[in-house]
Amino acid sequence: MEGDCLSCMKYLMFLFNFFIFLGGACLLGVGIWVIVDPTGFREIVAANPLLFTGAYIMLAMGAMLFLLGFLGCCGAIRENKCLLLFFFMFILLIFLAELSAAILAFIFRENLTREFFTKELKKHYLRNNDTDVFSSTWNSVMITFACCGVNGPEDFEAVPHLPYSSLESVTPEACCQRELQSREGMFIDKEACLTGIERFQNRQGCYTVILNSFETYVYLAGALAIGVLAIELFAMIFAMCLFRGIQ
C-alpha cells in the first residue's frame, strides 16, 4: 500500500512539474515577444524603465520555471532526493518572489490611473520632438493604437508648442488619421487634421483604447498567475512528501 501511494505521488509530482514546465515555456515566449515585437510595443518597453525591467524579469522567471519544471520531472521519475530538495528550495524562492510582486503591483496600482497618465502627459510631452524619449514613446502609442492623448485631443490644450514649430495646431501630428497605423503610414489629410477638422483626427483617448485592447489579456494573465502559484504550491507539497517517502 505504501509503495502504491509513493508511486502515485511520484506520477502526480511529474504531472505538476510538467505544468510548471509548460508555464515557464509560456512566460519565456511572452517575454521574448515583448522584447522583439516589431509592432511598436518594443519602443514603449524600451522607453519605460519599469516595463523594461519587468520584461526581463518575466524572461528570467520563465527560463527558471522552464528549467525547474524539467528538473522536477527528472527528480520525480528517478526518485532522486538531491534533485527534489533542490527543486523544493528554488520553487519556494520563486513562489515567494511572485507573491511579493503581486502584492507590490496591488499596492502601487494607483500609478496606473487615468489621472496619473494625464498629469504626466501634460507635464512632459513635447509634441513632435522625437529626440525626447517620453514624447517619442507617446507618439508611437498614439500612432499604433489610432488614439489621441489619454482622454482625447483636449489633453494637449495645456501642452506648450515647441519654439521652432511653425504650426499652431493644438493636436499633434501623431493624432492625425493615417491609411496605415504606423510611422510609415501616409496621412489621410494632415493639413486638415492640424487645422482642427475632427473627421481627420483620432478622437478617442488612448487610455480607453488600450484598456479595451488588453482587458482580456489582463484577466487571462491574472488567471494564469493564480494558476501558476497554485501549481507551484501543490508541487512543493508533493516534492516534500515524495522526498520523505524515498528510502
Side-chain angles (χ1 to χ4, degrees):
M1 186 69 182
E2 186 179 344
D4 291 339
C5 184
L6 187 63
S7 179
C8 180
M9 193 76 68
K10 179 174 73 173
Y11 287 110
L12 283 174
M13 173 73 180
F14 177 84
L15 182 64
F16 277 117
N17 277 283
F18 181 70
F19 283 122
I20 290 173
F21 177 81
L22 290 181
C26 289
L27 284 177
L28 195 60
V30 171
I32 292 171
W33 175 78
V34 167
I35 292 170
V36 303
D37 174 53
T39 61
F41 192 62
R42 178 177 51 190
E43 296 178 30
I44 302 170
V45 173
N48 190 315
L50 186 60
L51 289 177
F52 184 77
T53 305
Y56 278 96
I57 288 174
M58 183 184 296
L59 197 64
M61 295 296 289
M64 193 174 293
L65 284 174
F66 183 87
L67 176 62
L68 286 176
F70 176 76
L71 290 175
C73 288
C74 290
I77 292 298
R78 292 177 176 272
E79 298 185 7
N80 188 306
K81 294 184 77 171
C82 183
L83 280 178
L84 287 172
L85 185 60
F86 175 82
F87 168 81
F88 177 84
M89 294 302 295
F90 272 85
I91 210 75
L92 178 61
L93 289 174
I94 292 172
F95 179 84
L96 293 175
E98 289 174 344
L99 197 60
S100 300
I103 293 170
L104 287 174
F106 179 78
I107 292 172
F108 293 105
R109 69 191 185 282
E110 65 270 10
N111 288 339
L112 300 177
T113 61
R114 184 188 296 267
E115 291 73 22
F116 172 79
F117 285 117
T118 303
K119 180 182 175 182
E120 290 295 301
L121 180 69
K122 292 180 178 179
K123 187 176 181 181
H124 300 292
Y125 186 68
L126 299 177
R127 295 183 178 273
N128 302 321
N129 182 3
D130 281 338
T131 59
D132 177 67
V133 174
F134 184 88
S135 304
S136 176
T137 300
W138 261 105
N139 288 336
S140 294
V141 170
M142 292 190 290
I143 292 169
T144 301
F145 290 95
C147 56
C148 189
V150 178
N151 308 288
E154 63 274 7
D155 289 344
F156 298 102
E157 293 176 2
V159 175
H161 291 270
L162 295 172
Y164 50 81
S165 176
S166 59
L167 294 170
E168 292 300 323
S169 171
V170 170
T171 307
E173 288 182 11
C175 289
C176 296
Q177 291 183 4
R178 299 170 183 251
E179 294 177 1
L180 179 66
Q181 293 306 316
S182 70
R183 287 184 178 272
E184 292 73 33
M186 297 292 293
F187 291 101
I188 294 177
D189 193 331
K190 179 179 174 181
E191 187 176 346
C193 167
L194 295 177
T195 53
I197 299 178
E198 293 185 2
R199 65 192 182 94
F200 295 107
Q201 299 174 350
N202 296 315
R203 305 292 300 177
Q204 194 169 13
C206 292
Y207 191 88
T208 301
V209 171
I210 294 175
L211 201 63
N212 291 338
S213 299
F214 288 101
E215 186 176 14
T216 303
Y217 299 105
V218 168
Y219 288 121
L220 184 63
L224 180 63
I226 292 171
V228 168
L229 287 172
I231 289 170
E232 288 172 357
L233 184 60
F234 279 108
M236 285 189 291
I237 293 171
F238 281 120
M240 189 49 60
C241 291
L242 188 59
F243 178 86
R244 294 187 64 184
I246 295 173
Q247 300 300 322

